[in-house]
Amino acid sequence: MTGTKKILLAAPDADSRSLLRNIFHDNTALYEAGSSFSALMFLQRNPDTALVVLQIPLRSSDSLETLIYIRLSPWLINIPIVALAASEDEKSRLRIQKLGATEILPWPTPPEQLQQRIASLLQALPPQTGELPGSLAHQMYTLSQSASCGICVYELLPNHTIETIFFNQAYARLCGRTTAEYAALVTNGTALKRTIYTEDQPLFQKMIESMTTSFQPVCKTIRLQGKDDSIRNISLTAKAYAKFDGHILFHTISLNLSSPASSASSLSHRALGDNAFDPLTDIYNRETFSQETTRMLNEHPGREYMLVLWNIDRFKVVNDLFGTPVGDNILVQTAAHLRDQLLGIGTFGRLEADSFAFCLPADLFDLDRMLKEQIRLCSGFGIQYNLMMHTGLYLTRDPHIGVSQMCDRARMALSTVKGNYIQRYAYYNEDMRQTMLTEQQILNDMHRALAEKEFVIFLQPIYSLNFDKPISAEVLVRWQHPQLGLLPPSQFIPLFERNRFISEVDRYIWELTCKYIARRQQEQQAPLPFSVNVSRENLASPTLADELLALIRKYQIKPFLLRLEISESAYIENPIQLIRTARHLQEVGFKILLDDFGSGYSSLKMLKDIPLDILKIDMNFLEDIEQSSRAAAILLGVIQIAQRLNIVTIAEGVETKFQLDFLRTTGCDNIQGYYYAKPMPVEKFDQFMVNPPRML
Ligand code: C2E
Ligand code: CA
Ligand code: CA
């Protein structure tokens, strides 16, 4: 349609529009807009508009806004605007001119005069390019174009689409495009889709949607994608400033966070000196991280910060398997990743070996994204090994907590998930601190406890189902702690298993048990075997049998009175060793019990391999039988197999009559559980045995 020129008539008042309509020639395509929003929407879709006639009623900020936005949009800046100003006041005319009107005519103007001006303006097309000297809009435009941060103005439409109204050169650059290339994307409506990293589009949309309810600025880190798929992290601040008929105008300011590493770090090097940096990764070392983080926190008192600790899982294995250079490269890449993500918004450093820390304002931290990024990072190391990281998080609320203490707390949180394949992060909480303090106290006190005889034994009767009376008992350790009270094994055995102190505690418990058995013998009580727990640590000891033999000799008791409970987990670790040890112990006369059968990885093969006398069936078998007929069938099956193999069975954790009645139908030999008796102190056990309750 050559020759047909698009003209936009923007006038808030319908009467004026119908008046003006008549003055245009036939060879023009006339479009009308009643508000700045519809005017801008039109222009945005029709950047080839030849002329805008803009009516500016008295005190109309709406029309002035239209003027400003036209002049702020790089692709609209050259469209001539005829302003029809109602005000005759010289100052407002000047303002209109400064804002970028090409021509100002009074309103109303006689139609012939208006027609003439419009005709000559249209004829003069294309207009002189660019320059609108002296106009405020032009100045703003120039300023925004030379700004190093990205500036965009958008409109959120009632149907939730986002239209770009204005962008500056720097923003196009952030998107890896020239202004013309980005403008082309805007015109065909694909700018956001093509330049915001796909995974971050929902985040961007969510951020923008939040503007429907608030005028507060929101800040997020998002990724922009260049033509060549290169990715830049930007910090994007968005703020709404006008809402109208479900339309929302807002602008964004974007800062590049992924500046080239070298320039950024050399800058800091100059300021801080070389030994402030970790020589391998070129990011802060522990001391500098601590100093710089302290400084950041002090500069923004009252703001919430997130301190995050990363630890590479089994990094030592990676070093051993692939060599130190590969390990080093992983550390360097991790540091580079942190630099890309955090430069300009927070502090980051390598604390030691495979442990990194960073700290940033809490409102800029996005856990989901961090976890995704972490996986992406780990999968990009290019090694045939499923490398993963664990994360500890600490949110600062208290400005008085020092950075090193913050790191300690994040580390505490991290230690709760270390080695966990499913849960890979944890936030610090106060309970953790309490647990850690208690654990620390337990570790500090353990040697004293042994010397001061604070470990005591509790006995839990094991009943025969055939005779309905106790035929044995299990010996269970308790710690009579002077400050913490009576501690159950769950509070210290796992710690002792880790630091191997368990083997000393076990020996001590065996000795107490033998002493007790000897006392019973002296008191001429009926012989009753007692079973003690033998930890994995001791099972691995080649002198185990000798030690136990020395013990029963010392107290002059028969070996069958001391039964040994060994756990199936030892079988998993070293089956050959366990089989050998168990056989040896059996040969010298001890009875072997396989503990917790069914709690872990037990297999029926174990029953065949391990020389054992008694099978203790774990309580989790029993827990389900009431609900699940399958669980009941499995339990029955296990008991029947044991019977065929001539292995005596003990069902652990019998708590209810239902369970007891069921077990009777299965042919199970013995039971241990709260239904009959809980573990009790020795004196109480003595009394209990005088007249043990029957349950038939
Ligand atoms: P375990 O060897 O499986 O011991 C049985 C545990 O089940 C005991 O917990 C006992 O109190 C509990 N129990 C017994 N009947 C029931 C019941 O009906 N319901 C429930 N819910 N629980 C029942 P305890 O005494 O807390 O011991 C926990 C674990 O600590 C033991 O599990 C054992 O693995 C370990 N342990 C205890 N004493 C020693 C020890 O001297 N040396 C070693 N190495 N480990 C020990
Ligand atoms: Ca046991
Ligand atoms: Ca058990």
Side-chain angles (χ1 to χ4, degrees):
M1 289 233 304
T2 48
T4 308
K5 287 167 180 154
K6 288 183 191 165
I7 293 182
L8 175 68
L9 173 58
D13 159 27
D15 288 345
S16 312
R17 283 202 303 275
S18 59
L19 248 170
L20 286 164
R21 222 171 271 152
N22 301 320
I23 62 172
F24 291 97
H25 294 296
D26 291 343
N27 69 338
T28 54
L30 186 68
Y31 299 88
E32 296 179 21
S35 70
S36 63
F37 285 90
S38 45
L40 285 169
M41 274 195 297
F42 173 82
L43 289 172
Q44 193 184 296
R45 286 175 206 117
N46 300 277
D48 56 339
T49 302
L51 179 83
V52 177
V53 176
L54 178 68
Q55 186 203 24
I56 305 181
L58 284 173
R59 286 181 292 279
S60 159
S61 60
D62 190 52
S63 304
L64 289 179
E65 242 173 58
T66 314
L67 191 56
I68 293 170
Y69 285 112
I70 295 175
R71 287 305 180 231
L72 274 177
S73 307
W75 63 94
L76 300 178
I77 194 162
N78 293 326
I79 300 178
I81 304 172
V82 176
L84 305 174
S87 168
E88 288 176 359
D89 159 24
E90 193 48 37
K91 239 163 112 192
S92 26
R93 288 174 64 87
L94 196 67
R95 189 155 111 238
I96 295 167
Q97 191 196 340
K98 290 254 179 230
L99 286 175
T102 321
E103 177 108 24
I104 306 174
L105 299 175
W107 177 253
T109 294
E112 307 76 48
Q113 203 181 331
L114 189 57
Q115 224 164 8
Q116 212 181 355
R117 280 314 299 143
I118 288 171
S120 67
L121 273 172
L122 285 175
Q123 231 153 46
L125 285 176
Q128 69 282 43
T129 41
E131 297 297 284
L132 289 161
S135 84
L136 174 65
H138 178 68
Q139 307 237 349
M140 281 170 70
Y141 173 74
T142 321
L143 201 68
S144 74
Q145 291 303 26
S146 56
S148 59
C149 60
I151 302 173
C152 291
V153 179
Y154 299 98
E155 180 180 1
L156 177 65
L157 305 182
N159 68 1
H160 300 278
T161 50
I162 303 166
E163 303 261 16
T164 307
I165 292 175
F166 168 78
F167 65 88
N168 71 349
Q169 216 174 1
Y171 188 75
R173 233 183 2 246
L174 282 175
C175 297
R177 312 293 206 284
T178 63
T179 305
E181 282 170 341
Y182 195 80
L185 294 181
V186 170
T187 314
N188 68 25
T190 57
L192 297 177
K193 219 169 162 184
R194 300 275 293 277
T195 59
I196 293 176
Y197 188 62
T198 322
E199 270 181 31
D200 290 355
Q201 285 180 10
L203 178 73
F204 182 76
Q205 186 79 29
K206 211 170 107 196
M207 188 175 170
I208 301 321
E209 299 283 344
S210 76
M211 281 183 224
T212 53
T213 51
S214 156
F215 276 99
Q216 290 301 316
V218 228
C219 184
K220 290 263 177 297
T221 312
I222 66 160
R223 288 164 293 186
L224 294 179
Q225 194 162 15
K227 269 190 298 190
D228 55 352
D229 289 344
S230 62
I231 287 184
R232 281 176 194 78
N233 286 289
I234 60 158
S235 152
L236 189 82
T237 309
K239 187 181 179 309
Y241 55 88
K243 300 184 186 186
F244 179 81
D245 270 358
H247 295 248
I248 293 168
L249 270 185
F250 63 95
H251 61 241
T252 63
I253 298 194
S254 334
L255 283 170
N256 190 4
L257 300 175
S258 341
S259 325
S262 56
S263 64
S265 76
S266 61
L267 223 166
S268 326
H269 271 270
R270 232 176 297 141
L272 292 162
D274 273 344
N275 49 15
F277 289 81
D278 169 42
L280 175 68
T281 60
D282 205 27
I283 61 175
Y284 290 156
N285 59 24
R286 174 192 286 277
E287 291 71 37
T288 325
F289 172 75
S290 178
Q291 279 162 19
E292 292 299 304
T293 306
T294 308
R295 193 159 61 161
M296 177 172 78
L297 300 180
N298 287 341
E299 277 171 9
H300 305 279
R303 192 162 185 188
E304 274 194 339
Y305 279 83
M306 186 67 77
L307 188 123
V308 187
L309 219 63
W310 280 9
N311 192 277
I312 303 177
D313 192 52
R314 289 177 300 163
F315 187 64
K316 201 185 147 331
V317 178
V318 175
N319 268 333
D320 290 349
L321 280 178
F322 302 97
T324 318
V326 172
D328 282 356
N329 181 40
I330 287 172
L331 298 176
V332 169
Q333 284 191 50
T334 305
H337 175 84
L338 292 180
R339 185 161 36 216
D340 280 356
Q341 299 286 320
L342 291 154
L343 199 70
I345 49 172
T347 54
F348 48 93
R350 179 177 172 224
L351 301 188
E352 72 235 325
D354 56 340
S355 160
F356 293 84
F358 56 93
C359 185
L360 73 168
D363 53 338
L364 300 184
F365 178 70
D366 180 339
L367 178 68
D368 280 349
R369 240 193 79 191
M370 186 210 75
L371 294 172
K372 276 192 196 144
E373 286 288 346
Q374 209 174 46
I375 292 170
R376 207 164 66 97
L377 173 71
C378 288
S379 59
F381 289 142
I383 50 170
Q384 291 291 325
Y385 185 82
N386 191 6
L387 197 95
M388 61 178 202
M389 294 191 187
H390 285 104
T391 305
L393 301 135
Y394 177 67
L395 181 72
T396 53
R397 289 175 211 279
D398 182 355
H400 305 298
I401 290 181
V403 173
S404 74
Q405 205 178 344
M406 287 166 58
C407 288
D408 285 348
R409 293 186 173 184
R411 191 172 300 110
M412 255 181 227
L414 194 144
S415 70
T416 63
V417 288
K418 211 164 185 172
N420 191 326
Y421 283 85
I422 295 150
Q423 184 66 25
R424 295 183 183 185
Y425 70 89
Y427 280 97
Y428 168 84
N429 63 40
E430 269 304 308
D431 292 350
M432 268 175 207
R433 199 167 75 97
Q434 210 39 60
T435 311
M436 288 280 170
L437 287 176
T438 312
E439 285 189 8
Q440 200 49 53
Q441 186 175 7
I442 284 173
L443 295 177
N444 290 342
D445 294 352
M446 61 186 195
H447 291 289
R448 185 211 60 210
L450 200 58
E452 304 281 326
K453 303 187 170 39
E454 288 171 18
F455 293 109
V456 297
I457 54 175
F458 270 46
L459 302 167
Q460 185 178 27
I462 296 170
Y463 266 69
S464 153
L465 273 182
N466 299 325
F467 307 114
D468 196 32
K469 62 171 197 182
I471 41 97
S472 173
E474 179 174 2
V475 181
L476 296 155
V477 65
R478 298 288 183 267
W479 181 350
Q480 187 64 64
H481 192 286
Q483 283 97 41
L484 302 173
L486 189 71
L487 300 177
S490 58
Q491 285 209 20
F492 54 91
I493 297 273
L495 292 178
F496 292 174
E497 278 172 347
R498 256 182 273 153
N499 70 5
R500 298 165 180 220
F501 189 63
I502 186 66
S503 61
E504 289 183 53
V505 176
D506 270 359
R507 284 200 201 93
Y508 179 71
I509 297 298
W510 303 338
E511 174 120 29
L512 286 185
T513 307
C514 290
K515 211 186 241 174
Y516 176 63
I517 297 173
R519 200 195 82 199
R520 286 180 59 93
Q521 277 180 3
Q522 279 161 15
E523 291 169 0
Q524 317 230 307
Q525 302 199 46
L528 197 68
F530 289 84
S531 63
V532 293
N533 291 285
V534 180
S535 65
R536 233 179 311 161
E537 189 68 24
N538 277 323
L539 274 176
S541 158
T543 58
L544 176 66
D546 293 340
E547 282 176 58
L548 287 168
L549 283 173
L551 203 58
I552 55 167
R553 243 175 256 134
K554 178 174 167 192
Y555 289 97
Q556 300 193 328
I557 56 177
K558 293 268 171 358
F560 74 89
L561 288 177
L562 189 66
R563 294 178 166 181
L564 307 173
E565 297 199 3
I566 62 180
S567 162
E568 60 173 26
S569 62
Y571 179 81
I572 322 289
E573 265 185 19
N574 195 340
I576 297 171
Q577 152 104 22
L578 178 71
I579 292 165
R580 201 185 296 139
T581 311
R583 184 166 301 138
H584 186 42
L585 290 168
Q586 224 179 17
E587 279 164 8
V588 295
F590 294 108
K591 293 267 178 269
I592 305 296
L593 284 73
L594 184 63
D595 203 0
D596 303 332
F597 183 79
S599 67
Y601 312 87
S602 38
S603 70
L604 294 177
K605 187 170 176 307
M606 241 158 65
L607 292 187
K608 178 168 75 65
D609 291 348
I610 305 174
L612 65 117
D613 305 284
I614 299 168
L615 184 67
K616 293 191 80 174
I617 300 164
D618 194 76
M619 55 185 91
N620 67 34
F621 267 113
L622 272 182
E623 271 164 18
D624 295 342
I625 56 160
E626 239 162 300
Q627 282 83 36
S628 150
S629 55
R630 236 183 222 216
I634 293 173
L635 180 57
L636 179 63
V638 169
I639 291 168
Q640 286 175 346
I641 290 170
Q643 282 171 340
R644 297 237 176 99
L645 297 171
N646 273 330
I647 299 170
V648 174
T649 46
I650 301 177
E652 282 190 293
V654 180
E655 290 181 352
T656 64
K657 179 92 167 64
F658 182 92
Q659 292 169 335
L660 178 66
D661 289 343
F662 174 78
L663 285 164
R664 279 188 208 284
T665 67
T666 62
C668 177
D669 302 301
N670 305 305
I671 55 166
Q672 176 182 352
Y674 293 173
Y675 186 72
Y676 277 92
K678 289 192 171 180
M680 57 190 97
V682 171
E683 310 72 53
K684 221 174 145 205
F685 182 78
D686 286 336
Q687 287 163 21
F688 182 90
M689 289 305 289
V690 174
N691 191 11
R694 303 189 139 234
M695 289 292 170
L696 279 174

